[in-house]
Amino acid sequence: MKKIMFRCCKCGKTFRIDEVHYRCDECDEPLELEHVKEGKIKDGNSLKQNILQRYSDFFPFLSIDEEVSLGEGFTGLVESKSLAKEAGVEKLYFKNESQNPTWSFKDRGTYVGIQHVLKLGYKRIGTVSTGNMAPSVAAYGSKTKLETFILVNNNIPDEKMNPIGIYGPNLIKVDGDYGKMYYESLKIGKENDIYFLNSDSPFRVEGSKTISFEICEQLDFEMPDYVVIPTSAGGNIRGIEKGFSEFRACGLIDKIPKIIAAQARGCSPIADAYEAGEMEIERVANPKTIAHAIENPYPPSGNQTLRMLEYNGGMAVSVTEEELLEAQGLMAKIGLFGQPASAVPFAAVRKLKNAGRISSEDSIVCILTGSGLKYTAAFAKHDLKSEKCSLEDLSGFISKNY
Ligand SMILES: Cc1ncc(COP(=O)(O)O)c(C=O)c1O
Ligand SMILES: [Zn+2]
């Protein structure tokens, strides 16, 4: 490992990176790896590289285990002229993270995190998740033959259990407060030698930097005005901002886009605090949204996200269930099917534009964080049509009806 430390995002206290640390023992705020100030993108054929090879200067590893890779990252950046027009903005792009091996951005952080797990010699990994992180950690756990512990909420539907179970982890339904499970898992991890790769663990945050690195390359280093990110724990948004910030420090870009944290109104602790001008989140009493993937009532990186939005000059916003479902439908009309959480950024863009908080000259990247197929129950919220006819009648049926 390179000579670098974990640093507390709030008080600056440092911790060694050849040990497992998640949060500061002084102020209980999350840790991050110290910022990289010198580096460049590796030359060579990106089709043959994985994210840790192409962007190796931005990670602390002196060597990596390439076998761990399942081909994560290098996802498409899709421009939509029609939805830009619909929202009334200059340019609109979707970074399609559903192209990852387990259909969400989580694979980036899992791949990077497992490198740290292996360096420290851990044989057991785990995570606390309801939807996307669980299959991701289970898949990489099975690839690396690490014993894998996935803790899920007791009321998780089968639709979500089976795509985790297929990878064969120790899958445990836990009856109790889901928000507290994150903190409990850190304790259990210490007691049982399990490295928990939770939502905002420092190396998972590092993985999310590669989303911004790729956006920079895909836009020829011309930065958009805004990047809009569906936010729950706050790990992904922190990583994306850190990626831009490190590229700027290294002279690869000359400005950092403004970051927008987009939440569902039914669980919006970060947007609520932002709107109230507070720098600390409050626990949401009864979270309820169809965007389950971003339904964390007490996000562990919530306060840090608020601090980051302040120095970045970004903002936080929440959208209603109707607004996010409408956005999901509109995105599907251009061929992009994100899960409800992943439609929240586009809903936020429409809302902010209508409110005059972003302008018609702005260019915007929305992060489509995970596949729509992860949550098929959302189909019932859309007016999906189909017809039926016999093979003999098919020709006449088409000419008569269409
Ligand atoms: C699809 C999807 N989008 C967004 C998020 C939010 O990411 P974070 O919890 O890092 O803020 C998650 C987190 O689980 C997710 O699964
Ligand atoms: Zn601290």
Side-chain angles (χ1 to χ4, degrees):
M1 300 273 256
K2 298 175 190 166
K3 280 206 172 64
I4 186 170
M5 302 286 280
F6 291 123
R7 183 180 291 280
C8 170
C9 294
K10 187 171 184 202
C11 74
K13 181 170 175 183
T14 55
F15 299 79
R16 297 170 61 123
I17 57 159
D18 56 359
E19 298 168 353
V20 184
H21 295 281
Y22 304 103
R23 301 183 77 81
C24 179
D25 57 11
E26 298 280 336
C27 57
D28 198 29
E29 282 293 298
L31 306 181
E32 66 178 11
L33 271 95
E34 288 176 316
H35 281 233
V36 174
K37 301 206 171 75
E38 251 176 70
K40 62 181 188 59
I41 298 165
K42 284 280 166 305
D43 295 332
N45 182 350
S46 64
L47 294 175
K48 289 186 174 174
Q49 295 164 323
N50 67 56
I51 50 173
L52 280 175
Q53 293 169 324
R54 188 158 184 79
Y55 305 115
S56 58
D57 285 0
F58 299 87
F59 292 93
F61 310 114
L62 293 171
S63 63
I64 53 159
D65 186 334
E66 292 161 21
E67 288 277 296
V68 179
S69 178
L70 289 168
E72 50 295 313
F74 302 120
T75 57
L77 184 71
V78 181
E79 181 172 5
S80 174
K81 291 194 164 59
S82 64
L83 290 190
K85 195 165 168 213
E86 200 280 337
V89 297
E90 179 69 21
K91 279 184 181 293
L92 184 68
Y93 303 87
F94 293 91
K95 180 72 171 152
N96 186 5
E97 290 296 293
S98 74
Q99 292 174 334
N100 275 294
T102 70
W103 310 283
S104 86
F105 75 95
K106 297 284 186 185
D107 295 329
R108 296 174 185 269
T110 309
Y111 174 52
V112 174
I114 289 203
Q115 300 293 336
H116 193 228
V117 170
L118 296 174
K119 292 262 178 275
L120 300 196
Y122 274 77
K123 300 278 182 283
R124 304 170 125 190
I125 54 169
T127 199
V128 175
S129 166
T130 51
N132 293 301
M133 207 157 40
S136 178
V137 171
Y140 284 79
S142 114
K143 176 87 197 278
T144 48
K145 310 232 173 330
L146 292 164
E147 193 183 1
T148 306
F149 294 82
I150 308 289
L151 310 182
V152 296
N153 215 351
N154 204 22
N155 56 11
I156 184 174
D158 279 353
E159 182 190 22
K160 288 188 171 182
M161 280 294 271
N162 297 336
I164 307 169
I166 192 73
Y167 299 109
N170 300 320
L171 180 50
I172 306 167
K173 280 189 186 179
V174 184
D175 199 6
D177 183 326
Y178 181 72
K180 291 192 184 137
M181 236 201 294
Y182 167 98
Y183 292 95
E184 188 63 17
S185 73
L186 303 187
K187 192 170 133 254
I188 294 164
K190 239 187 201 149
E191 292 162 357
N192 297 279
D193 281 335
I194 306 171
Y195 188 133
F196 269 90
L197 279 168
N198 287 350
S199 48
D200 67 342
S201 72
F203 277 89
R204 181 173 287 291
V205 172
E206 289 297 295
S208 289
K209 294 192 312 193
T210 59
I211 295 178
S212 18
F213 296 165
E214 291 171 21
I215 291 172
C216 292
E217 290 209 70
Q218 286 165 313
L219 293 178
D220 289 325
F221 303 92
E222 290 282 320
M223 286 301 91
D225 296 293
Y226 293 100
V227 176
V228 193
I229 304 150
T231 302
S232 185
N236 194 35
I237 197 167
R238 285 179 46 213
I240 290 173
E241 192 282 334
K242 188 169 190 268
F244 286 121
S245 159
E246 291 185 357
F247 260 26
R248 189 179 63 173
C250 295
L252 291 164
I253 52 174
D254 54 15
K255 76 163 198 184
I256 299 175
K258 287 196 168 48
I259 304 288
I260 300 178
Q263 299 203 290
R265 172 91 26 106
C267 184
S268 50
I270 298 171
D272 294 349
Y274 175 85
E275 270 151 35
E278 303 288 345
M279 289 309 287
E280 294 209 348
I281 52 157
E282 266 182 41
R283 184 185 291 272
V284 171
N286 294 306
K288 194 172 177 342
T289 169
I290 192 170
H292 297 299
I294 55 169
E295 204 185 35
N296 190 326
Y298 193 60
S301 280
N303 297 339
Q304 178 53 23
T305 299
L306 289 166
R307 288 190 287 272
M308 179 276 286
L309 292 176
E310 188 170 68
Y311 62 68
N312 167 270
M315 52 185 144
V317 63
S318 65
V319 300
T320 64
E321 300 293 283
E322 294 71 35
E323 287 165 339
L324 72 90
L325 285 166
E326 201 183 342
Q328 187 184 38
L330 286 166
M331 286 163 64
K333 291 227 159 64
I334 62 146
L336 291 176
F337 180 36
Q339 57 193 260
S342 304
V344 167
F346 180 54
V349 169
R350 298 174 81 211
K351 184 165 203 150
L352 291 168
K353 176 62 179 40
N354 284 339
R357 292 169 72 190
I358 54 179
S359 97
S360 53
E361 273 137 48
D362 285 330
S363 66
I364 298 167
V365 175
C366 292
I367 311 296
L368 192 170
T369 43
S371 162
L373 287 178
K374 288 279 188 87
Y375 191 61
T376 55
F379 287 137
K381 303 285 181 185
H382 296 274
D383 184 21
L384 307 184
K385 294 196 187 94
S386 63
E387 309 280 354
K388 209 173 171 185
C389 86
S390 71
L391 182 57
E392 293 75 36
D393 295 340
L394 186 57
S395 173
F397 183 82
I398 289 180
S399 51
K400 182 163 154 253
N401 291 294
Y402 299 98

